[in-house]
Amino acid sequence: MASLGRLSLKFDLDADTDGGAELPAVAIVPPPRTDSQRALAKWVASQASLDKLDRRHIRELVDPARTPTESRMTEAITAWAAERASLFAKKRRQPPAEQPTSTAVSSLRDYPMLEISQPGLLGILTRCLACPSDFWPVNVIRYLLRTGSVPAAFAPVRSIAAAALAKHAGAVGTVELPAQISLVDAIIEKGDLQTLALLLDPPGLVADVDEADLVRILKFVCCCQPTAAAAAAKAPREDQALRELLTRRDAINRVAALKMDRDAGGDGRRWFLQRLFAAPRDDTDMTAAMRAALGPAE
């Protein structure tokens, strides 16, 4: 197998690269179970070709000069999903699917979810969340959330974060970068209730939301308008891609999700509170987080 060579996948996120050129694109799929050297060589060549395609699209998504606007980010990730779908259809000798003419988020739902490696995903998330008040590619963020692979917090790719801040926030010179980027903090800073609804439903879609995050969400939801919360709560129920994700969950989570009251009613904050208290948590840590958020008693 060693004679077939290795795919050059570098995992140093902060290497001096051309806009994320060395971010690995997708996880390697297992080789075929065969003793045929020809079949193994074909597999290696196929993986190298796929990796090259994905690196090209990741470079575009993380480069502010090539995707300077939110709409351009949506177009870029739609083109990636379309090219991937076309490639796999060709390999299976199937007729290519009809390509949607729109590049809106509705078009993204017509394609299978991209399988992005964690380093590549963190590079794209760094670009999307580095300065939420100035740049918020909401379609891309919601699409990535539907993959079920987005962490609640992560260390940013520093070169990508610096470029994003320089482009969108006007930061010049030495930029102080955050030690980590919080998905919940970014959503709250932007005031995006619909994306928050996608984060909470189904419970566990973003598995590592901690108790301090839950308390911050609780404070934010309690202060928002009931009608705005009700409108945002409709998003997960109307999302076909998210419903398909639910069907792939294990039976316990699926039954639990179906038992939950999905009627937001007149006050959508009730819907958010149900999801918050259904989220995985430790009650002791939750109590400590609430005390820390409320401050000392007077």
Side-chain angles (χ1 to χ4, degrees), residues 18 21 52 64 78 94 148 167 182 209 220 224 229 231 256 277 291:
D18 177 17
K52 184 178 180 181
T78 304
Q94 297 173 345
K167 172 68 176 178
S182 165
V209 177
F220 175 66
C224 72
F277 288 107
R291 285 175 176 169

Side-chain angles (χ1 to χ4, degrees), residues 78-211:
T78 304
W80 183 11
E83 191 168 354
R84 269 297 210 97
S86 177
L87 178 64
F88 283 118
K90 183 178 179 180
K91 287 184 177 181
R92 298 187 181 101
R93 297 181 179 179
Q94 297 173 345
E98 183 179 351
Q99 302 296 318
T101 56
S102 171
T103 55
V105 69
S106 58
S107 298
L108 280 171
R109 295 173 184 166
D110 295 331
Y111 297 110
M113 290 295 172
L114 289 166
E115 296 180 3
I116 312 173
S117 72
Q118 194 70 357
L121 178 65
L122 295 184
I124 300 171
L125 285 172
T126 297
R127 171 73 201 291
C128 292
L129 304 177
C131 41
S133 59
D134 300 292
F135 183 72
W136 188 250
V138 64
N139 293 339
V140 177
I141 294 168
R142 291 175 186 172
Y143 178 80
L144 295 176
L145 271 175
R146 294 183 189 97
T147 67
S149 302
V150 173
F154 59 92
V157 183
R158 301 185 68 81
S159 57
I160 297 174
L165 288 168
K167 172 68 176 178
H168 304 295
V172 294
T174 303
V175 180
E176 184 177 352
L177 299 175
Q180 72 171 13
I181 291 178
S182 165
L183 175 63
V184 170
D185 286 350
I187 291 173
I188 291 175
E189 180 179 340
K190 189 63 180 178
D192 190 342
L193 275 168
Q194 187 170 334
T195 301
L196 182 61
L198 291 174
L199 182 149
L200 294 174
D201 191 27
L205 184 64
V206 179
D208 55 346
V209 177
D210 63 18
E211 287 77 9

Side-chain angles (χ1 to χ4, degrees), residues 79 112 155 166 214 236 261 274 281 292:
L214 293 177
D261 178 16
Q274 285 178 323
R281 69 183 189 281

